[in-house]
Amino acid sequence: MFSQLNNFTVSIEKQGPRSITKASFPLRYGKYSEIRTSDYEFLFNLNGEIKFIRGLNPKWPHPAEQLKRTDGNDWVFYSVGDKSGENGIISWLGEYYLPCLPYPSNSIWEIDYFSNPNVMDAFAAWPQLYANLYECRRDSLHTKAKELIERIIVNHDGVLHERSRRLNEIIGGRVSVLPPDTRHVDYEVIPLMISSGCLYHCRFCCVKSTQTFKTRSSTDIIDQVRSLKALYGRNIENYNGLFLGNHDAVEAGEDVIAFAASEAYSAFGFGEPGRMTPLLFLFGSVDSLLKAGNKLFDKLTQLQFYCYINIGFESLDAPTLAYIGKPVDESEVREAFKKMLEINSTYQNIEVTGNFLLGNHLTPEHYRSLGALLQEATVPSRGKGAIYISPLKDSPKKRELLPRFLKIKKQSQLPVFIYLIQRL
């Protein structure tokens, strides 16, 4: 359904594809509403919150590029980059776009979209559209179009900021880093904290908490679920990703994980007809993975999720592990990596992925041992069990690291991608 109003067109609750695919042009999943002017396309979620802005005029950088507002109220610019083909962004990230973040991250390719006047014009177009909607006469519009505009007007920038603050309040702080596997749902996940803190406090890490690891209580988890359901409102039906946080949810144990996942599955309606297969995302550590028994993985297989567990291996080289301050040894990393491969071969709906480091100050042995490990890995399917390479944040001239990354990727029997550290 659409309505024409002054110089823009309103489309109410369009239905996008019901399954997520890798596409070179931005696809719109789930239900959303759209307002088009001669120069821009504005997309809104089911709550009437602005979600995407894309330019339609010839000055826009590329028709597949867009601005996206996250649940944390960040504006992220999605770039297609300057290189296509097998050595382009799809090779680096496993996606056809590069999220350019408005805060420092570890990307090998940094784009300052704030310096692009055409992108800045899009930011200015949004408050102008808001003002036009606020002032326009809506008497002749269809009832649903009137309701949409009223929802949009209610969700002004102050409300959106407060909603992101409320999200952080519910879960006990901002999610400073999402698992790299959340790229499969475009980083659109509902966060549910089942633990706080981290087992390790590595020197290289700039995103994890300094708190001592602690499991959240069942009462705390239930309270979060109830509050999150109310906060996400009707738009909750557009989500199929659940992030059980925070930095080492595997350490919380099988009972807590299964309890939290089951509560969320029911409350968030993941099993309702027409919804996509729900995906569960967790972080784990070398120690928590080694300690986890079959009972954990058996319980995960009984959940109605496809489960991704991301493990921070970082390095197989003892001097490198000492340099980054990671309190594990080379033999433990090798044992955990072997267990990752075994789990991926055994369990159909569980996929363990791993992270290793990339940087100018790491030893030649770090790269030699990593290349050999990935080259010798025996895997049943090349598409399962991705390895993510994380550039150290202080590495100068990060784009010059690309040849080293591509060499690792070429050696590996497993899929290898860059780990883009993105917060919620």
Side-chain angles (χ1 to χ4, degrees):
M1 177 188 300
F2 70 92
S3 297
Q4 191 74 34
L5 180 64
N6 296 337
N7 62 340
F8 49 84
T9 302
V10 182
S11 301
I12 302 104
E13 294 196 11
K14 299 173 75 173
Q15 176 65 62
R18 295 188 180 275
S19 60
I20 295 178
T21 58
K22 308 295 181 184
S24 59
F25 197 87
L27 297 176
R28 311 304 186 186
Y29 299 99
K31 290 182 181 179
Y32 61 92
S33 295
E34 175 186 281
I35 295 180
R36 279 186 173 231
T37 67
S38 58
D39 291 325
Y40 298 99
E41 173 187 83
F42 301 89
L43 267 65
F44 302 86
N45 66 21
L46 290 176
N47 294 332
E49 302 163 340
I50 181 68
K51 193 67 182 177
F52 291 98
I53 304 174
R54 186 171 70 91
L56 301 176
N57 62 48
K59 294 182 180 180
W60 188 248
H62 190 282
E65 296 185 332
Q66 61 186 335
L67 284 160
K68 173 188 172 182
R69 191 186 65 84
T70 70
D71 289 337
N73 209 33
D74 289 324
W75 279 101
V76 180
F77 181 68
Y78 279 55
S79 170
V80 298
D82 60 2
K83 190 171 186 179
S84 59
E86 63 177 13
N87 291 332
I89 284 179
I90 185 67
S91 174
W92 311 343
L93 301 175
E95 309 295 337
Y96 285 95
Y97 52 82
L98 170 69
C100 303
L101 309 172
Y103 46 85
S105 186
N106 65 335
S107 176
I108 53 170
W109 185 8
E110 296 178 343
I111 297 176
D112 180 15
Y113 62 83
F114 291 107
S115 66
N116 188 319
N118 295 309
V119 176
M120 290 300 98
D121 286 346
F123 276 118
W126 158 233
Q128 183 60 60
L129 174 69
Y130 181 91
N132 292 342
L133 293 174
Y134 189 87
E135 295 172 357
C136 72
R137 293 179 60 86
R138 301 187 284 276
D139 299 343
S140 61
L141 287 178
H142 188 278
T143 301
K144 287 189 177 294
K146 290 181 185 177
E147 292 172 349
L148 170 63
I149 292 173
E150 288 166 4
R151 287 197 300 273
I152 293 171
I153 290 171
V154 167
N155 287 293
H156 56 74
D157 287 346
V159 169
L160 297 178
H161 174 78
E162 173 59 23
R163 191 158 293 159
S164 67
R165 187 203 65 78
R166 175 59 180 151
L167 173 63
N168 298 335
E169 180 182 67
I170 290 170
I171 62 178
R174 184 159 204 170
V175 176
S176 59
V177 57
L178 289 166
D181 303 302
T182 57
R183 67 184 176 88
H184 295 302
V185 291
D186 193 21
Y187 307 95
E188 293 284 298
V189 292
I190 301 174
L192 175 59
M193 298 299 107
I194 64 173
S195 65
S196 303
C198 181
L199 285 184
Y200 312 139
H201 299 97
C202 307
R203 281 194 299 273
F204 81 96
C205 184
C206 59
V207 292
K208 293 186 179 179
S209 170
T210 58
Q211 293 177 285
T212 303
F213 181 87
K214 183 180 179 182
T215 303
R216 300 279 188 100
S217 67
S218 57
T219 300
D220 181 289
I221 292 169
I222 290 172
D223 287 345
Q224 285 184 71
V225 169
R226 289 173 178 167
S227 297
L228 288 168
K229 182 178 181 180
L231 181 73
Y232 280 86
R234 189 185 166 204
N235 195 53
I236 205 166
E237 72 178 75
N238 278 330
Y239 290 80
N240 72 308
L242 175 68
F243 169 49
L244 294 186
N246 200 359
H247 302 305
D248 193 352
V250 174
E251 179 68 14
E254 64 269 7
D255 292 336
V256 174
I257 292 171
F259 172 76
S262 297
E263 289 289 317
Y265 184 89
S266 175
F268 301 157
F270 285 130
E272 293 177 358
R275 297 282 287 268
M276 291 182 278
T277 300
L279 305 180
L280 182 66
F281 303 94
L282 304 90
F283 277 124
S285 63
V286 168
D287 279 296
S288 63
L289 181 64
L290 290 175
K291 185 166 59 176
N294 291 339
K295 187 177 178 182
L296 168 63
F297 305 108
D298 290 341
K299 281 201 172 186
L300 288 175
T301 60
Q302 294 168 14
L303 298 173
Q304 298 183 58
F305 290 88
Y306 187 91
C307 179
Y308 288 95
I309 303 174
N310 181 249
I311 307 295
F313 296 117
E314 320 310 355
S315 181
L316 293 148
D317 175 48
T320 299
L321 290 169
Y323 170 71
I324 65 175
K326 193 171 187 71
V328 297
D329 61 39
E330 176 266 353
S331 63
E332 291 173 316
V333 176
R334 287 188 181 277
E335 187 180 353
F337 184 84
K338 180 182 177 182
K339 187 169 184 176
M340 178 191 84
L341 298 179
E342 291 172 349
I343 293 167
N344 288 339
S345 298
T346 304
Y347 298 95
Q348 187 175 359
N349 67 327
I350 302 175
E351 184 166 348
V352 184
T353 63
N355 309 328
F356 287 92
L357 294 178
L358 183 71
N360 284 345
H361 302 303
L362 304 182
T363 68
E365 177 58 23
H366 165 75
Y367 293 107
R368 188 209 65 77
S369 59
L370 173 57
L373 180 77
L374 299 181
Q375 192 171 38
E376 297 165 5
T378 303
V379 293
S381 170
R382 188 174 176 80
K384 192 176 184 184
I387 297 300
Y388 294 95
I389 306 297
S390 179
L392 287 171
K393 190 176 178 182
D394 60 352
S395 295
K397 300 180 180 178
K398 294 178 183 177
R399 184 130 186 203
E400 294 184 359
L401 296 173
L402 266 177
R404 189 170 286 166
F405 160 75
L406 292 172
K407 181 180 179 181
I408 295 170
K409 184 179 182 71
K410 188 175 181 180
Q411 289 176 302
S412 179
Q413 298 297 314
L414 293 161
V416 178
F417 304 109
I418 293 291
Y419 185 175
L420 179 66
I421 288 181
Q422 183 165 335
R423 70 190 184 189
L424 187 63

